[in-house]
Amino acid sequence: MTIATEPIGSLPRSATLLHALAAHAQGTLDATDLAKQQEQAVADTLTRLERVGSPVLVDGEQAKPSFATYPVTGLDTLSPDGAVIPFADGHTRQLPSITQGPFRYQVRAETYLRAARQLTDRPLKQAVIAPSALSLLYPATPIEGYPREQFLRDLADEAEADIRGCLDAGAHVVQLDFTEGRLSLKLDPSGGVLDDFIALNNEVLGRFSAEETARIGVHTCPGGDQDSTHSLDIDYAELLPKLFQLKAGNFYLELAGEADPERVLSIVRDHLPPAARVFVGVTDPIDPVVETPEQVRDRILLAARYIPVEQLGTCDDCGFSPFADDTSTTRDLAFAKIEARVRGTALAEEALGL
């Protein structure tokens, strides 16, 4: 028996790639040349993950504009005045909103997976955005001739196709990014929005077989952008029982950044489905200090007091750069933290006699 360990998804873009993205936005670099830069960034990401011993690789989302909006890249029926996500340090991110239907993904995550597969034969994980996050694209004022109910049906079909495409392309696991779960409790303390999110995600997840579900996971965190969060002040205890109602085989939980991780682990113990694996966050992308392997080991040993080892895995708390323009964490720092996670997980296995 070993303790599974996986990255979450995004990694900081290099200065070269950031320059290429800016040049493309300004119209001085064409799409073909940008794609070449992105491919080089993916190749470097895969190589560096292998170098630090990561058993599962990701492309680092080097070609995604953000973890949330890749499906609507190029969609010409968008308005920029969508939902606003406020972060604790005062900065915000704003989603677009759709202006007409029917809603269709313009880009599917399998395109990133297939591109990375050309560069490695190692296990590849693919992150996709949860349909609940994309439900925020529908505006507050109903679209004439395209009611919200029809939008949600179209969204569920598109989200299923996004996940299924990655599974069919050979993803080791497909991870739904569900960072809006905790945020929903800040926007609606009654929990009604969260209930709607859970129901929508389960509408999609319920379409997969047991074998497929074992390769599907859900990631939750309080957000991570420019070294700030959007919902760390919301009690995890309000989210976790409902989170574990999701029909997923794996759960990736932010934990290293929590003030009282042992309390969180006790809640996980009480609600974790018997057939699921929970990956606990053991490195904090927001903290500029690199964890030592021994610190990681001790965090895992604490988790093993509450979670059966056969259901335990480790991960980073969050992606390191969910939005392409986030430069708050350096690329070298991110890989140093990943290496600490990999080495610390090995130390924990040794301590547990695995």
Side-chain angles (χ1 to χ4, degrees), residues 9-14 17 21 34 37-46 58-65 112 321 324 331 335:
S10 66
L11 284 159
R13 283 66 166 176
S14 68
L17 180 54
L21 289 168
L34 175 62
Q37 294 285 352
Q38 290 169 329
E39 181 179 358
Q40 291 174 7
V42 171
D44 179 69
T45 297
L46 298 172
V58 292
D59 72 352
E61 303 188 359
Q62 302 297 285
K64 281 185 180 179
Y112 306 116
S321 183
R331 197 163 166 83
F335 283 107

Side-chain angles (χ1 to χ4, degrees), residues 13-76:
R13 283 66 166 176
S14 68
T16 299
L17 180 54
L18 289 170
H19 177 76
L21 289 168
H24 179 67
Q26 295 165 4
T28 59
L29 185 73
D30 64 28
T32 299
D33 287 336
L34 175 62
K36 290 178 181 177
Q37 294 285 352
Q38 290 169 329
E39 181 179 358
Q40 291 174 7
V42 171
D44 179 69
T45 297
L46 298 172
T47 297
R48 294 187 69 171
L49 285 171
E50 286 195 45
R51 191 179 300 153
V52 300
S54 182
V56 175
L57 309 184
V58 292
D59 72 352
E61 303 188 359
Q62 302 297 285
K64 281 185 180 179
S66 84
F67 79 106
T69 59
Y70 70 87
V72 296
T73 302
L75 185 63
D76 59 6

Side-chain angles (χ1 to χ4, degrees), residues 19-336:
H19 177 76
L21 289 168
H24 179 67
Q26 295 165 4
T28 59
L29 185 73
D30 64 28
T32 299
D33 287 336
L34 175 62
K36 290 178 181 177
Q37 294 285 352
Q38 290 169 329
E39 181 179 358
Q40 291 174 7
V42 171
D44 179 69
T45 297
L46 298 172
T47 297
R48 294 187 69 171
L49 285 171
E50 286 195 45
R51 191 179 300 153
V52 300
S54 182
V56 175
L57 309 184
V58 292
D59 72 352
E61 303 188 359
Q62 302 297 285
K64 281 185 180 179
S66 84
F67 79 106
T69 59
Y70 70 87
V72 296
T73 302
L75 185 63
D76 59 6
T77 55
L78 292 176
S79 170
D81 58 350
V84 176
I85 302 172
F87 285 80
D89 65 353
H91 88 276
T92 62
R93 292 284 186 177
Q94 187 166 22
L95 297 174
S97 62
I98 62 169
T99 59
Q100 66 183 60
F103 179 71
R104 298 289 185 267
Y105 281 25
Q106 305 301 293
V107 177
R108 297 200 187 281
E110 70 175 278
T111 61
Y112 306 116
L113 178 66
R114 292 185 186 278
R117 176 52 69 209
Q118 299 300 312
L119 302 172
T120 184
D121 58 1
R122 300 284 295 278
L124 275 169
K125 176 181 183 178
Q126 182 59 54
V128 303
I129 188 62
S132 53
L134 292 180
S135 71
L136 298 172
L137 298 180
Y138 194 86
T141 301
I143 299 171
E144 184 176 357
Y146 191 56
R148 179 176 176 81
E149 293 74 15
Q150 182 59 54
F151 164 72
L152 293 177
R153 287 193 291 270
D154 289 342
L155 171 57
D157 291 343
E158 291 294 295
E160 177 193 359
D162 201 32
I163 298 168
R164 197 171 296 284
C166 294
L167 292 174
D168 292 345
H172 170 73
V173 69
V174 180
Q175 170 191 290
L176 277 69
D177 286 328
F178 182 49
T179 70
E180 69 281 5
R182 200 161 171 179
L183 178 62
S184 72
L185 291 166
K186 191 170 192 174
L187 303 176
D188 174 22
S190 76
V193 171
L194 177 58
D195 289 341
D196 290 344
F197 283 172
I198 296 293
L200 175 59
N201 290 337
N202 269 341
E203 163 60 28
V204 175
L205 292 170
R207 301 179 183 186
F208 294 90
S209 68
E211 292 76 13
E212 291 167 332
T213 298
R215 293 167 56 202
I216 297 174
V218 175
H219 165 241
T220 190
C221 72
D225 181 47
Q226 299 179 21
D227 282 350
S228 186
T229 63
H230 54 51
S231 52
L232 188 61
D233 54 331
I234 298 300
D235 192 342
Y236 227 163
E238 297 180 42
L239 171 66
L240 289 175
K242 292 185 177 181
L243 179 79
F244 288 126
Q245 294 174 11
L246 288 170
K247 301 172 184 177
N250 304 280
F251 294 89
Y252 302 85
L253 307 184
E254 176 265 350
L255 187 63
E258 289 297 310
D260 189 353
E262 194 160 2
R263 175 174 176 265
V264 175
L265 287 166
S266 69
I267 300 169
V268 173
R269 175 196 58 201
D270 293 342
H271 295 278
L272 181 65
R277 184 188 297 270
V278 60
F279 290 74
V280 297
V282 292
T283 56
D284 183 358
I286 290 177
D287 187 346
V289 177
V290 178
E291 294 83 357
T292 67
E294 290 76 19
Q295 285 176 310
V296 170
R297 175 201 62 199
D298 292 346
R299 289 172 177 174
I300 300 168
L301 295 180
L302 175 63
R305 290 168 48 190
Y306 292 87
I307 301 167
V309 174
E310 62 271 18
Q311 290 182 267
L312 180 61
T314 66
C315 61
D316 310 301
D317 268 1
C318 187
F320 287 90
S321 183
F323 296 88
D325 61 358
D326 182 4
T327 58
S328 59
T329 301
T330 68
R331 197 163 166 83
D332 287 344
L333 179 64
F335 283 107

